[in-house]
Amino acid sequence: MKTQLKPLSLAIILMSQPAFATELKTININADLRETNEQEMPTSISVKTQKELQDEGASHFDDVLLKTPNVNYSGQSSRARHIQIRGIGERDEYTGAPNSSVGFAIDDIDYSGIGMAASTFDIQQIEVLRGPQNTRYGQSAIAGLINVKSNEPTEYRESMIEATAGQDSLTELGIMTSGPFSSAEKSPQYRIAIFKHDSDGFRDNKTLNRSDTNGRDELTARAKLRFFPSDDTTVDVTLLHADLDNGYDAWSRDNSFTNLSNEPGQDTLLSNAFSAKVTHQLNSNRTLQSITSFSDNELRYAYDTDWKANDTTYRGLFDNQQDRQNFSQDIRVIGKNWLIGAYFSKMDEKNTRYERYDYPSWGDNYQTDANSDYVLKKASIYGQYDLAFSEKATVALSARLERNWKDFDLNTQLSGFDTSYGGGAYDYSNPESSSPTENLWGGSIIYSYKYNQKHTAFTGVTRGYKMGGFNTNLTESSIESGAYDSETLYNYEIGLKSNYLDGNLKTSTNLFYMDRKNPQFDGYGYESSYAHWVYFTENFESANAYGLEAEFDWRLNTTWNLFGAVSVMKTDISGTPTFANFTLDDREYAHAPSYQYNFGAKYRSASGLYLMADINGMDAFYFDNVHDFKSDSYTLVNARIGYEQENYEVYLWGKNITDETYATRGFQFDHFDGDGEQQYVRLGDPRQIGVTARIYF
């Protein structure tokens, strides 16, 4: 006999639990120019702490990305690399001249446009800042900033082992150890974390009779060291190694999990990076801080363009090998109510790309070989001043001035045999070179009012910016100019952050309006002259967006915790996309759903029983601006049951337990194999069941 709890009965049980004596933990934000309390930071922000990441079973930023208000991504890679915040962000990057809209940092190391190395093992917290963050992060953050902060070394010894096994041949193993080098006072401290993930990728390749062509083989290793050269100085060093040797075989002709490609692709990242933060207390009111970072990243992105075995109709292959090096130096002086800083960075990216297309039945073949070298230097000065009118009212003024130097060289060789254009062979070389410079600026004026210990409100305007650039590899006059202008964004925001019930209920609500000048949008099209696809960025006439983001975290008592987030957004663009036969007028952005939500509950008893369930959903959204193909709305349900003790814990979990079918990317085009123009989607992960265990010692 089943017992059903009616709403009133459930409420009585919840409220009859012992009152929770300790309020929710205060969270400090590391992505700000100086460490700030989350509840007092005047911006729209979502934070996932280590405990929350573990409670939800997240092992990569991918696992929590879609649970974050007004955040989406383009499933065009094995891991989330192309991210959109409030509808702004790239959906792919083929040009060799990256120009990110969403900043992405891991322990002060710039991974904008890469992002794949964001394992959540031994992570202190993930911070997602929405709206332009150019004052904090420069031109790469017009849409927002994602900051991943790992745990620091400890003055005491601690270690942990985590292991996971599940469907899709999933295995994960993580090892962490931390502590001082010796028992001496001010002894240097260390923290080492190593995490290995393997899985098959939820695809069955019938041509090769394999289930791992879309699999993941990922290793991340991190070492953190803390030194105390003097009583006033602390030095933090982070060493990061990421080796992601992932397959990429995510597309099928019938939009299923069954693939037919005979040359499955790769999506790999080999990254070695470090950061060094020096904090020196000049006096009781001033701190000098220096942050230096460097990363060396080798990437390969390749796939079978025809998505099936060789036949007499069409076959093709795309392969791009990328080498990116990033160096940055940030130095700032922080006062009691002010700060001033200077920043310099240099990115050098080399790309080697080739494409092969063959139509045996027609006797046609096309091939593209391209080599590019892109150098971007950025120098900026920035500052912030907090003007207090009273104990409750403060106006924060911030500004950033930035100058960019770009050097781009590309040599493209197009060749082949085309019966439809004169019936002969062609050989076309298209060398390009460009060295533009650009001055940009942004800033904000934000008024905050702290009514009391429970409520803090803010309102303000922020001017964000994104540099202009140039399109490459164009051979026709379909795009009037290869260059596109810089974009400016004015973000108007009002928010309220509150504590209720003696600190056991925290809420955050934000309303925003974004007005974009010379808005940049990416697109793609087919240039028939030399039978190849081009990808480009162009400025539209206008774009704006407005909406709401709200989150709550409610600790009802010692055992029950409710949490949730919801966002609604209306976007509007006007313009005529290149390669499109229509004009966009009062249409939504691509990858910008009108609503998103995530609601859940956690139960944790003194006996060790743990239960968690959450539901998150998303409205339908357009996949691109060059067509009207849309996704379907969807809802995902996750659940977790576990047993926790002081030194160990074990969980049985399920992701997408209703086995919902949903899409993370979509295209509409013609494969030129006789089936005409078709619509294709990249499917998100189906249901997965697994077990995770941790041991602390």
Side-chain angles (χ1 to χ4, degrees):
M1 176 180 178
K2 292 185 177 180
T3 301
Q4 293 185 341
L5 289 176
K6 297 185 181 297
L8 180 59
S9 302
L10 178 59
I12 293 173
I13 292 174
L14 293 177
M15 301 309 294
S16 65
Q17 300 294 331
F20 192 72
T22 305
E23 65 181 27
L24 291 167
K25 184 179 179 182
T26 299
I27 299 173
N28 291 326
I29 303 304
N30 298 277
D32 201 8
L33 292 174
R34 53 186 170 196
E35 194 171 277
T36 307
N37 185 303
E38 177 196 13
Q39 286 296 107
E40 297 179 357
M41 188 170 180
T43 192
S44 179
I45 182 171
S46 297
V47 182
K48 289 287 187 181
T49 65
Q50 178 182 25
K51 189 58 180 173
E52 290 171 328
L53 294 169
Q54 290 179 338
D55 283 350
E56 296 179 29
S59 62
H60 194 276
F61 178 61
D62 288 12
D63 295 324
V64 296
L65 188 154
L66 295 179
K67 300 179 181 181
T68 309
N70 278 332
V71 179
N72 198 6
Y73 78 100
S74 164
Q76 185 120 344
S77 50
S78 64
R79 287 293 193 185
R81 182 186 303 183
H82 310 295
I83 299 170
Q84 301 84 42
I85 296 180
R86 292 180 177 174
I88 303 176
E90 292 65 49
R91 290 174 295 282
D92 52 50
E93 198 279 294
Y94 290 98
T95 65
N99 189 11
S100 296
S101 296
V102 176
F104 201 112
I106 303 175
D107 285 330
D108 298 315
I109 303 168
D110 187 359
Y111 278 94
S112 302
I114 299 178
M116 294 171 62
S119 160
T120 59
F121 178 74
D122 198 41
I123 292 298
Q124 175 182 317
Q125 62 195 46
I126 296 177
E127 306 158 355
V128 180
L129 286 68
R130 289 176 289 268
Q133 306 297 322
N134 299 102
T135 302
R136 295 180 175 92
Y137 206 67
Q139 81 87 31
S140 297
I142 189 173
L145 170 63
I146 297 168
N147 186 57
V148 180
K149 178 73 166 59
S150 66
N151 284 312
E152 300 290 359
T154 53
E155 59 185 10
Y156 52 86
R157 298 194 184 280
E158 65 172 359
S159 300
M160 186 259 286
I161 297 177
E162 176 183 293
T164 295
Q167 290 177 298
D168 190 44
S169 300
L170 170 67
T171 59
E172 292 178 340
L173 179 63
I175 302 173
M176 178 279 295
T177 185
S178 178
F181 281 94
S182 72
S183 59
E185 186 179 0
K186 295 291 185 179
S187 168
Q189 300 166 1
Y190 67 88
R191 192 178 192 96
I192 298 173
I194 302 172
F195 185 73
K196 185 71 168 68
H197 170 103
D198 291 281
S199 57
D200 278 357
F202 298 107
R203 300 296 189 278
D204 288 320
N205 188 303
K206 296 302 183 182
T207 298
L208 302 177
N209 195 27
R210 290 171 52 188
S211 61
D212 63 348
T213 55
N214 194 51
R216 294 168 179 162
D217 179 359
E218 303 175 342
L219 171 68
T220 55
R222 181 174 54 251
K224 303 191 76 171
L225 305 172
R226 173 167 286 178
F227 303 95
F228 306 95
S230 70
D231 291 340
D232 299 323
T233 306
T234 302
V235 178
D236 290 294
V237 177
T238 299
L239 303 174
L240 178 63
H241 171 76
D243 186 358
L244 284 73
D245 188 14
N246 296 346
Y248 185 59
D249 189 22
W251 298 85
S252 71
R253 290 298 187 94
D254 61 358
N255 294 326
S256 71
F257 291 102
T258 300
N259 296 351
L260 300 174
S261 58
N262 68 309
E263 296 180 277
Q266 290 184 289
D267 188 23
T268 68
L269 168 66
L270 178 61
S271 179
N272 292 293
F274 86 91
S275 66
K277 178 187 289 186
V278 180
T279 304
H280 178 68
Q281 196 71 35
L282 296 171
N283 54 46
S284 59
N285 292 322
R286 296 180 184 177
T287 303
L288 175 66
Q289 191 173 79
S290 170
I291 303 174
T292 307
S293 73
F294 176 79
S295 65
D296 184 13
N297 308 285
E298 297 178 8
L299 301 95
R300 185 184 181 194
Y301 181 62
Y303 56 88
D304 187 333
T305 61
D306 57 288
W307 307 343
K308 63 180 182 179
N310 286 343
D311 59 23
T312 59
T313 307
Y314 164 58
R315 54 180 177 253
L317 181 66
F318 175 94
D319 195 329
N320 186 76
Q321 299 185 42
Q322 175 183 349
D323 186 358
R324 180 191 296 185
Q325 293 183 333
N326 268 329
F327 167 80
S328 69
Q329 175 62 57
D330 195 352
I331 188 167
R332 65 187 68 148
V333 179
I334 305 171
K336 186 176 181 180
N337 62 343
W338 58 271
L339 65 85
I340 188 169
Y343 175 86
F344 174 80
S345 70
K346 179 183 178 182
M347 179 183 69
D348 189 345
E349 178 173 307
K350 295 178 173 60
N351 280 260
T352 301
R353 174 170 57 91
Y354 71 87
E355 301 174 64
R356 300 292 183 266
Y357 302 96
D358 191 13
Y359 300 84
S361 61
W362 302 346
D364 294 353
N365 62 81
Y366 313 93
Q367 58 189 46
T368 301
D369 294 277
N371 296 281
S372 66
D373 190 356
Y374 178 61
V375 178
L376 172 62
K377 299 177 183 177
K378 296 186 288 187
S380 60
I381 57 174
Y382 59 89
Q384 179 176 313
Y385 182 71
D386 298 338
L387 178 62
F389 291 99
S390 68
E391 292 183 357
K392 295 183 177 182
T394 302
V395 172
L397 307 172
S398 68
R400 189 181 190 106
L401 305 177
E402 182 172 319
R403 182 171 177 83
N404 296 327
W405 296 265
K406 290 168 277 191
D407 288 296
F408 184 80
D409 292 290
L410 169 69
N411 185 41
T412 304
Q413 191 75 24
L414 305 172
S415 59
F417 188 88
D418 192 339
T419 57
S420 60
Y421 287 88
Y426 64 85
D427 196 342
Y428 171 79
S429 181
N430 185 26
E432 301 178 52
S433 182
S434 181
S435 299
T437 60
E438 195 167 17
N439 295 319
L440 301 163
W441 71 274
S444 65
I445 302 175
I446 299 176
Y447 173 76
S448 299
Y449 190 84
K450 189 171 184 178
Y451 291 92
N452 46 47
Q453 294 300 316
K454 294 182 178 181
H455 305 290
T456 300
F458 68 90
T459 185
V461 57
T462 303
R463 186 187 194 273
Y465 59 86
K466 185 181 180 184
M467 67 181 183
F470 35 81
N471 291 304
T472 65
N473 201 25
L474 307 178
T475 56
E476 292 183 339
S477 59
S478 52
I479 297 180
E480 294 181 1
S481 172
Y484 53 90
D485 295 331
S486 60
E487 176 179 346
T488 303
L489 186 156
Y490 289 93
N491 182 73
Y492 305 89
E493 196 145 344
I494 183 170
L496 176 65
K497 299 187 179 185
S498 300
N499 291 314
Y500 301 96
L501 304 177
D502 296 325
N504 289 315
L505 171 61
K506 291 185 177 182
T507 65
S508 175
T509 305
N510 299 277
L511 295 169
F512 66 90
Y513 175 80
M514 301 193 304
D515 186 15
R516 304 171 63 181
K517 309 297 183 182
N518 294 322
Q520 296 177 13
F521 288 91
D522 53 10
Y524 64 91
Y526 185 73
E527 286 196 334
S528 58
S529 294
Y530 294 96
H532 77 145
W533 292 93
V534 293
Y535 303 86
F536 54 86
T537 300
E538 58 189 339
N539 299 105
F540 280 179
E541 296 175 7
S542 65
N544 57 67
Y546 59 89
L548 174 145
E549 294 145 354
E551 297 180 90
F552 74 90
D553 190 2
W554 187 7
R555 189 69 63 89
L556 277 77
N557 45 53
T558 55
T559 55
W560 283 97
N561 183 205
L562 305 181
F563 59 91
V566 63
S567 60
V568 293
M569 181 171 62
K570 169 64 176 175
T571 58
D572 181 11
I573 53 177
S574 295
T576 304
T578 302
F579 291 102
N581 57 1
F582 57 86
T583 297
L584 298 176
D585 187 16
D586 193 28
R587 207 202 79 168
E588 298 171 345
Y589 299 176
H591 276 253
S594 297
Y595 66 79
Q596 293 174 257
Y597 60 85
N598 173 241
F599 296 104
K602 289 186 280 190
Y603 172 86
R604 182 173 268 119
S605 72
S607 64
L609 177 63
Y610 173 76
L611 302 171
M612 190 279 290
D614 76 319
I615 178 172
N616 61 284
M618 181 179 295
D619 190 21
F621 56 85
Y622 290 99
F623 286 118
D624 274 297
N625 299 316
V626 295
H627 53 68
D628 283 329
F629 182 27
K630 297 183 70 172
S631 73
D632 294 325
S633 60
Y634 64 85
T635 300
L636 305 179
V637 180
N638 309 293
R640 196 172 182 87
I641 181 172
Y643 182 71
E644 302 173 335
Q645 291 297 304
E646 182 179 359
N647 297 322
Y648 70 91
E649 49 201 37
V650 60
Y651 305 92
L652 172 67
W653 51 263
K655 298 179 181 180
N656 188 11
I657 59 177
T658 60
D659 205 20
E660 179 88 351
T661 299
Y662 63 103
T664 61
R665 186 69 171 113
F667 287 104
Q668 180 172 299
F669 64 93
D670 191 346
H671 267 292
F672 300 106
D673 60 356
D675 59 1
E677 190 173 88
Q678 299 289 322
Q679 295 179 334
Y680 305 99
V681 296
R682 158 75 186 271
L683 296 176
D685 291 348
R687 176 172 51 228
Q688 186 178 34
I689 307 296
V691 177
T692 297
R694 297 189 191 95
I695 300 175
Y696 300 90
F697 57 96

